Amino acid sequence: MTTLHHEHVSHAHAHGPECGHTEVQHGDHVDYAHDGHLHREHSGHWDECEPSGHVSHEGHDHQHGQDCGHPSVLHGDHVDYLHDGHRHAPHGGHWDDH
């Protein structure tokens, strides 16, 4: 799974451990959930950090929802659930790995 390098222009907010936005570990970096997007610091600016392609999370029997106990973050037009270092999103009767 690769990520697109798409700079988030005019992003004046500096994310960090105390900024109040949800941190999401994503491979070798941390993304911050902000305004329905995931942002990561890259070479002095902020990038949109979105996976490309469709990756189904196989063998995921747990059903996420409002009271499942896992943190949720708004991601575009849906909600992702943070679970075991992944973001899971419902899609077509299964869970996607975001």
Side-chain angles (χ1 to χ4, degrees):
M1 180 166 47
T2 61
T3 55
L4 300 176
H5 183 127
H6 178 70
E7 186 173 346
H8 187 87
V9 293
S10 70
H11 189 72
H13 176 74
H15 292 292
E18 305 297 322
C19 77
H21 295 113
T22 303
E23 292 183 358
V24 180
Q25 186 65 42
H26 187 202
D28 63 352
H29 63 273
V30 173
D31 291 337
Y32 292 90
H34 182 216
D35 293 338
H37 303 267
L38 293 169
H39 301 156
R40 70 176 282 197
E41 193 280 326
H42 177 254
S43 299
H45 62 269
W46 292 93
D47 284 347
E48 300 281 349
C49 193
E50 299 294 339
S52 61
H54 173 242
V55 179
S56 177
H57 187 87
E58 302 298 332
H60 189 68
D61 296 329
H62 176 73
Q63 294 299 306
H64 294 291
Q66 186 174 6
D67 298 319
C68 75
H70 295 114
S72 62
V73 293
L74 179 62
H75 183 207
D77 64 353
H78 64 275
V79 173
D80 287 349
Y81 293 91
L82 309 178
H83 184 230
D84 291 340
H86 303 270
R87 290 181 298 125
H88 296 159
H91 178 253
H94 63 272
W95 294 94
D96 282 354
D97 221 348
H98 278 187

